[in-house]
Amino acid sequence: MKRIALLLAAATMAVVTAPISAMIQEQVKIDTGVLAGAAAATQPSVRVFKGIPFAAPPLNENRWRAPQPAAKWDGVRSADAFGAPCTAGPIAGRGGPGRAGRGPAPTPPAGAQAPPREPARSEDCLYANVWTSAKAAGDRRPVMVWIYGGGFTGGSGGMSWYDGENLAAKGPVIVTFNYRLGTLGFFAHPDLAKESGHNASGNYGMMDAIAALQWVKRNIAAFGGDPNNVTVAGESAGANMVGALVGSPQARGLFNRAIAESGGWMGLTMARMRSSSEAQAAGSKAADGRTIAELRARPLDELTGLPGGGLVVDGYLIPEDLSYTFANGKQNAVDVLTGSNKDEANFGICGPTAGLAGRGGQGMTLDAFKSAADRKFGEMAGEYLKLYPAASDADAQRAAHEACADEISWNMRQWAAAQAKAGKKAYTYFFTHVQTVNGQPSPQGATHTAEISFAWNNPKGQPTQTWNDVDTKLADTMSSYWVNFITNGDPNGKSLPEWPRFKDVATSKVMVLGDTPQPESAVPAAKLAFYQAAFQRLLKSPVSN
């Protein structure tokens, strides 16, 4: 009887301890205190830690300052709820996703709004979230740190879109975080520059991203992650931020590789970055004589009219227009995976027709198409119109849609080529798959943001998604590519279609992520050559302030 009792006790202990041994301990100690996480909802091997403060609340005197250290706490802090998303404030204008304030922001698609599982937006918002399937601290899992899109005015790290359960179940530690938005994240002013110690102002949201990456360096080992194997990733405005981080000397050494989905340091398409003098002049005018001390003391709803248009060439975090940094090979030498989508235009943003084409080019007239081409490409407009011929309004709508996808694709290719030239590994994709929404193919096609749920292997990322077997298979393939790249800088792996390495804009092929992933059949050489030449023209043109 005694032997039977011992056997029963051992069996009971095995049942109790097996789930715990399969994941990192519930309580994790970081540099500010002890956290208690929870098992993920659908992946029993994954533990989640939500709402972790990675910096002090940017309130009162901390408004428009570099992130300050988070306070330490005694006892055990519950990490089972997301922190508040950042509020953008009552800004004067809204920039489209990844366009640094150049044009109106499109209305986010259904499901893109912050879901109710998050608290209301707040200035007190600098929180991170971690998903890990590591079994113990010291596992040294690769890490992905995600930067959300939303035109620098919306989005958050707690959106269901970016639920890291399924990615973490494949191996990496996944981190999301919030960064300051709009007026609170990107307001520039001469007095803020003077007090900064670097004669720089405006990039507070980017400072938050750097602070989050520094937090990861210090703490991710406690969650089983490898602080020396970090990938920074983002989409749209988040990819814009990733581009700035790759180009910033202040971010050097904080990550090993980068993923950029539909966006780069210029935004979606070729454009000058916003200059410090331009941003500070706009901020000074909007302040209308009010001092920074007065503005810090004002309630948020009294900051009406203050601009916050996105990233600024501030001379410190971003020393110069990053197009020159990348052209001269001065960017951080990291591996990259970049790409864009076939129907980006259906989001209403990009190319010379931004703000004119409407969704998918609808509403574009032939005259408006030609005028927009003249404004953007000048003496090269004739060549552009030969590549995108149009003899009617209907033709113009089709051409605008096609040109949008091509220019963004060029942008992502030229970034990959720049990293390859720096001796790093580079891979580029073109997403063409049309997902199933409410049981039917999405009427928006492979629009801007459409790839996100597939890269995250997240069929519940948006409430309208109702995936079929093709969707599910592609998501498994894409997430495996992403995990492989996060792990070792190469998306290729067992049983996956071969993804060619990208080396040169003129000859390298991208991976087409459609119903059946495969490399593109032919490089669109003439169009890519046009955009390359137009970009050189842009770089030689005078800078307007």
Side-chain angles (χ1 to χ4, degrees), residues 21 34 56 60 71 74 95 124 135 165 169 257 306 315 360 369 388-389 399 408 458 468 497-498 511:
S21 65
V34 178
N60 305 316
D74 296 324
D124 179 1
K135 295 181 180 179
E165 291 185 33
R257 50 191 68 95
L306 297 187
F369 181 63
Y388 302 100
I408 299 176
N458 186 6
N468 59 25
E498 184 71 18
M511 189 69 172

Side-chain angles (χ1 to χ4, degrees), residues 211-242:
L213 287 165
Q214 291 169 336
W215 180 89
V216 166
K217 273 285 187 185
R218 297 193 307 271
N219 292 293
I220 206 64
F223 300 92
D226 185 349
N228 297 314
N229 190 7
V230 175
T231 297
V232 63
E235 185 271 342
S236 194
N240 195 169
M241 185 92 80
V242 169

Side-chain angles (χ1 to χ4, degrees), residues 10 16 21 46 81 102 107 152 166 177 183 186 213 222 238 254 283 294 340 356 369 389 408 417 425 544:
V16 171
S21 65
V46 175
R102 294 178 172 87
T107 302
F152 296 119
N166 292 340
F177 67 96
T183 290
F186 299 96
L213 287 165
L254 293 177
E294 286 178 286
S340 61
L356 292 173
F369 181 63
I408 299 176
K425 290 179 285 187
S544 59

Side-chain angles (χ1 to χ4, degrees), residues 329-544:
K330 296 187 295 182
Q331 77 275 22
N332 298 321
V334 297
D335 302 326
V336 296
L337 188 156
T338 69
S340 61
N341 299 350
K342 177 177 178 290
D343 300 309
E344 300 273 7
N346 284 347
F347 216 71
I349 40 170
C350 79
T353 57
L356 292 173
R359 299 299 169 113
Q362 295 181 11
M364 169 62 65
T365 66
L366 178 59
D367 287 343
F369 181 63
K370 290 180 177 179
S371 295
D374 285 335
R375 285 196 305 273
K376 180 159 187 174
F377 297 117
E379 71 279 4
M380 296 183 66
E383 184 180 351
Y384 176 84
L385 294 172
K386 287 180 181 177
L387 290 169
Y388 302 100
S392 66
D393 291 349
D395 287 344
Q397 292 166 15
R398 172 199 49 75
H401 187 284
E402 183 180 338
C404 172
D406 290 342
E407 186 175 351
I408 299 176
S409 179
W410 162 82
N411 189 18
M412 307 316 293
R413 294 174 195 236
Q414 63 90 22
W415 182 359
Q419 296 308 111
K421 188 176 180 180
K424 304 306 293 184
K425 290 179 285 187
Y427 299 86
T428 300
Y429 69 85
F430 190 61
F431 183 84
T432 63
H433 175 72
V434 179
Q435 68 176 317
T436 307
V437 174
N438 293 327
Q440 299 295 326
S442 170
Q444 293 298 311
T447 189
H448 188 66
T449 74
E451 86 295 343
I452 295 173
S453 296
F454 293 86
W456 285 75
N457 197 24
N458 186 6
K460 297 180 180 178
Q462 296 190 73
T464 56
Q465 291 175 180
T466 51
W467 283 359
N468 59 25
D469 291 344
V470 176
D471 297 312
T472 301
K473 182 179 180 181
L474 178 61
D476 182 54
T477 297
M478 279 183 60
S479 58
S480 294
Y481 279 138
W482 262 239
V483 166
N484 291 341
F485 180 81
I486 292 163
T487 302
N488 57 33
D490 186 338
N492 290 293
K494 185 178 179 181
S495 302
L496 293 172
E498 184 71 18
W499 187 330
R501 192 162 165 176
F502 199 92
K503 296 182 178 181
D504 178 78
V505 171
T507 61
S508 294
K509 293 182 177 181
V510 302
M511 189 69 172
V512 179
L513 296 174
D515 294 358
T516 304
Q518 59 188 345
E520 66 183 336
S521 57
V523 176
K527 291 178 177 178
L528 293 174
F530 170 83
Y531 289 116
Q532 199 75 2
F535 181 52
Q536 294 305 311
R537 172 183 175 274
L538 175 69
L539 294 183
K540 293 175 183 177
S541 64
V543 178
S544 59

Side-chain angles (χ1 to χ4, degrees), residues 176-188:
T176 68
F177 67 96
N178 298 334
Y179 61 91
R180 282 173 281 180
L181 301 167
T183 290
L184 299 170
F186 299 96
F187 175 58

Side-chain angles (χ1 to χ4, degrees), residues 55-327:
L59 307 172
N60 305 316
E61 287 301 308
N62 286 339
R63 185 186 279 175
W64 302 311
R65 290 191 193 277
Q68 301 300 303
K72 295 184 178 182
W73 59 83
D74 296 324
V76 179
R77 179 187 177 103
S78 177
D80 61 354
F82 292 110
C86 292
T87 180
I91 61 173
R94 295 187 57 177
R99 286 199 54 77
R102 294 178 172 87
T107 302
Q113 304 290 350
R117 66 181 187 164
E118 297 178 282
R121 292 188 178 273
S122 169
E123 276 195 83
D124 179 1
C125 62
L126 299 185
Y127 298 96
N129 315 293
V130 179
W131 289 261
T132 179
S133 61
K135 295 181 180 179
D139 269 13
R140 295 284 181 175
R141 301 286 184 94
V143 181
M144 184 185 85
V145 180
W146 177 259
I147 307 178
Y148 53 85
F152 296 119
T153 62
S156 75
M159 293 174 68
S160 59
W161 227 344
Y162 314 130
D163 196 300
E165 291 185 33
N166 292 340
L167 267 187
K170 288 192 171 189
V173 176
I174 306 300
V175 180
T176 68
F177 67 96
N178 298 334
Y179 61 91
R180 282 173 281 180
L181 301 167
T183 290
L184 299 170
F186 299 96
F187 175 58
H189 191 282
D191 290 344
L192 288 172
K194 288 177 185 176
E195 73 172 31
S196 70
H198 307 291
N199 195 31
S201 70
N203 288 326
Y204 304 101
M206 184 173 171
M207 292 180 195
D208 297 338
I210 290 175
L213 287 165
Q214 291 169 336
W215 180 89
V216 166
K217 273 285 187 185
R218 297 193 307 271
N219 292 293
I220 206 64
F223 300 92
D226 185 349
N228 297 314
N229 190 7
V230 175
T231 297
V232 63
E235 185 271 342
S236 194
N240 195 169
M241 185 92 80
V242 169
L245 291 167
V246 172
S248 176
Q250 304 306 320
R252 185 166 290 127
L254 293 177
F255 54 92
N256 309 79
R257 50 191 68 95
I259 297 174
E261 302 173 23
S262 298
W265 65 88
M266 292 182 284
L268 282 166
T269 59
M270 67 180 74
R272 290 277 194 182
M273 295 188 72
R274 195 163 55 120
S275 70
S276 178
S277 58
E278 174 190 7
Q280 289 188 31
S284 182
K285 181 179 179 181
D288 194 25
R290 293 171 291 178
T291 67
I292 295 301
E294 286 178 286
L295 292 174
R296 284 188 171 128
R298 294 286 181 91
L300 186 60
D301 59 6
E302 293 183 17
L303 299 181
T304 304
L306 297 187
L311 297 172
V312 179
V313 179
D314 63 3
Y316 175 62
L317 293 181
I318 304 176
E320 62 181 352
D321 189 313
L322 291 174
S323 290
Y324 298 110
T325 301
F326 281 80

